[in-house]
Amino acid sequence: MALFGKLPSNVFLAPMAGITDQPTRQIVHKKSRGNVTLVSEMVAINALSRKNSKTYRIADVRKEEYPVIVQLVGADPAMFADAAQLAAELGAAGIDINMGCPVRKIITSGAGSALMTNMPLAAEIIRSVVRAVNLDVSVKFRKGWDSQDINAVEFAKMCEDSGAAFITIHGRTRAQGYSGSADWQVIAKAKKAVKIPVVGNGDINSPESAKKIIEETGVDGVMIGRAALGAPWLPGQIDAVLHGQAPYVLTAGEIKNTLLEHFALLKSYYGEKLAVALSRKYVCWYSKNFYDAKRFRENYMKINDYHTALEEIENYFNQNEERTE
Ligand SMILES: Cc1cc2nc3c(=O)[nH]c(=O)nc-3n(C[C@H](O)[C@H](O)[C@H](O)COP(=O)(O)O)c2cc1C
């Protein structure tokens, strides 16, 4: 697979709002030994331009010792340029433009996947960001708006003509949201239509599926979203297998230790109280496929104290280790 400039890998962790924050990026970076390209959560350009403190913190990647592509979402070309400059000052290694988000609040403002229905504005935004920063600018979009309006191929060409360094295509329409299965054939068609690198996204959940999408579509890179929830080692494992290494199955003890490391990172970034609240979703994801996980999760949801939470995780995963040996 072709390399994307200075990025560490052609395997990307997908931007996921509320998930791919600094602690999650750190754990994915660590578990992949630096061999995964990381993208931030989406950052609203209007909030960033206003220097809203929460948004500002999300976009600030200066303390991270690895490159982070910062994803921006919005609909105004001039504001996009300002926000991109700010993101560059805050340490972004690249700017990704969100043209795929299906969430109502985003599309009613003309942003996210709504831009797939307004190609002239989408093109103006890309050109405006490319002019504003001395960084690679990429675009992430979908198959199209709905089954009546599938325009990923034309959209890919427009991105290339507007100066995008690479594109990521999620093989679902806006109308599909996250349901149904991703259409990789449309990604293959778009790949054939452009010269810039194309990253395939949607339903890549194992090294085998990563190999399959590369074979079937010829994409230059792969992006992993939901399958990495509770499995921060997966993108790195995919990178390793694509480089000829054998896949590796983690023991219950290794999964427990990863969860505890992730929890510690959440604590140092958000503080103890918020980390405990946030750990609940991670505990659910990390415990999928484990014995009696439903009961463990129900108990865990009631815990508000950091030390009790740690004890509960230790006990549960240690019992599971005994059962699997
Ligand atoms: C909880 C959640 C949050 C997401 N947030 C974003 C986002 O901020 N920006 C974006 O471009 N895509 C976002 N996505 C879409 C993913 O990046 C990805 O395109 C999608 O999940 C399909 O890939 P997958 O099948 O590997 O999960 C989000 C997806 C999920 C499940």
Side-chain angles (χ1 to χ4, degrees):
M1 293 205 291
L3 272 169
F4 296 58
K6 298 187 202 80
L7 298 178
S9 169
N10 300 354
V11 178
F12 291 71
L13 175 68
M16 288 184 279
I19 294 160
T20 52
D21 53 8
Q22 198 211 82
T24 298
R25 292 194 295 270
Q26 259 178 286
I27 194 80
V28 171
H29 169 76
K30 187 166 178 211
K31 295 297 149 187
S32 70
R33 296 188 178 82
N35 292 319
V36 166
T37 296
L38 300 158
V39 189
S40 74
E41 309 171 71
M42 65 179 173
V43 175
I45 57 165
N46 51 355
L48 186 59
S49 302
R50 275 190 274 113
K51 301 212 168 132
N52 168 293
S53 59
K54 199 175 156 218
T55 309
Y56 204 78
R57 192 173 185 221
I58 293 176
D60 189 353
V61 298
R62 285 172 296 185
K63 289 209 180 90
E64 289 167 80
E65 72 276 17
Y66 40 80
V68 180
I69 295 175
V70 171
Q71 190 190 60
L72 300 176
V73 66
D76 180 81
M79 202 186 279
F80 242 111
D82 288 347
Q85 280 170 354
L86 207 47
E89 283 165 27
L90 293 173
I95 303 289
D96 188 65
I97 305 179
N98 181 323
M99 296 196 178
C101 182
V103 172
R104 188 168 300 276
K105 199 175 131 208
I106 299 286
I107 56 176
T108 48
S109 68
S113 57
L115 287 164
M116 290 200 75
T117 64
N118 189 347
M119 286 235 255
L121 179 59
E124 205 186 324
I125 288 172
I126 300 167
R127 284 197 299 265
S128 166
V129 176
V130 169
R131 270 197 308 270
V133 290
N134 194 15
L135 295 172
D136 276 353
V137 176
S138 52
V139 184
K140 181 166 178 280
F141 58 93
R142 286 180 173 246
K143 175 179 175 177
W145 179 255
D146 60 19
S147 58
Q148 306 303 307
D149 191 1
I150 291 165
N151 61 346
V153 174
E154 295 86 324
F155 208 80
K157 288 190 207 156
M158 177 279 292
C159 291
E160 177 168 62
D161 293 343
S162 308
F166 67 90
I167 52 177
T168 303
I169 308 175
H170 175 194
R172 286 187 178 83
T173 61
R174 196 272 340 171
Q176 281 179 292
Y178 298 98
S179 63
S181 49
D183 173 4
W184 290 352
Q185 289 323 304
V186 76
I187 301 177
K189 285 186 195 145
K191 166 68 194 159
K192 278 207 186 83
V194 294
K195 292 192 189 69
I196 52 173
V198 176
V199 180
N201 171 239
D203 299 346
I204 303 167
N205 55 16
S206 61
E208 296 71 41
S209 55
K211 279 185 175 170
K212 194 160 180 263
I213 190 172
I214 293 166
E215 275 161 26
E216 287 183 9
T217 68
V219 284
D220 307 276
V222 292
M223 181 179 273
I224 324 300
R226 291 163 296 172
L229 301 175
W233 53 83
L234 181 68
Q237 203 170 70
I238 290 176
D239 177 86
V241 172
L242 293 178
H243 285 90
Q245 292 174 32
Y248 172 75
V249 179
L250 279 81
T251 64
E254 286 167 329
I255 293 175
K256 176 193 77 178
N257 289 338
T258 307
L259 171 57
L260 291 174
E261 275 178 71
H262 196 167
F263 201 168
L265 292 167
L266 289 168
K267 179 173 166 254
S268 72
Y269 188 75
Y270 292 110
E272 210 167 275
K273 194 161 174 258
L274 189 50
V276 172
L278 292 171
S279 74
R280 293 182 188 133
K281 64 184 174 198
Y282 290 104
V283 158
C284 289
W285 289 324
Y286 277 83
S287 62
K288 71 185 169 206
N289 307 325
F290 276 92
Y291 177 79
D292 212 9
K294 189 164 175 273
R295 199 161 56 89
F296 164 60
R297 289 168 183 166
E298 279 167 10
N299 288 338
Y300 193 87
M301 294 306 132
K302 297 178 200 140
I303 297 171
N304 290 308
D305 168 68
Y306 180 66
H307 296 283
T308 315
L310 293 185
E311 249 171 61
E312 198 69 19
I313 292 171
E314 283 284 353
N315 291 340
Y316 174 71
F317 283 91
N318 289 349
Q319 275 171 25
N320 260 285
E321 182 103 278
E322 282 159 24
R323 280 199 188 89
T324 52
E325 274 169 1

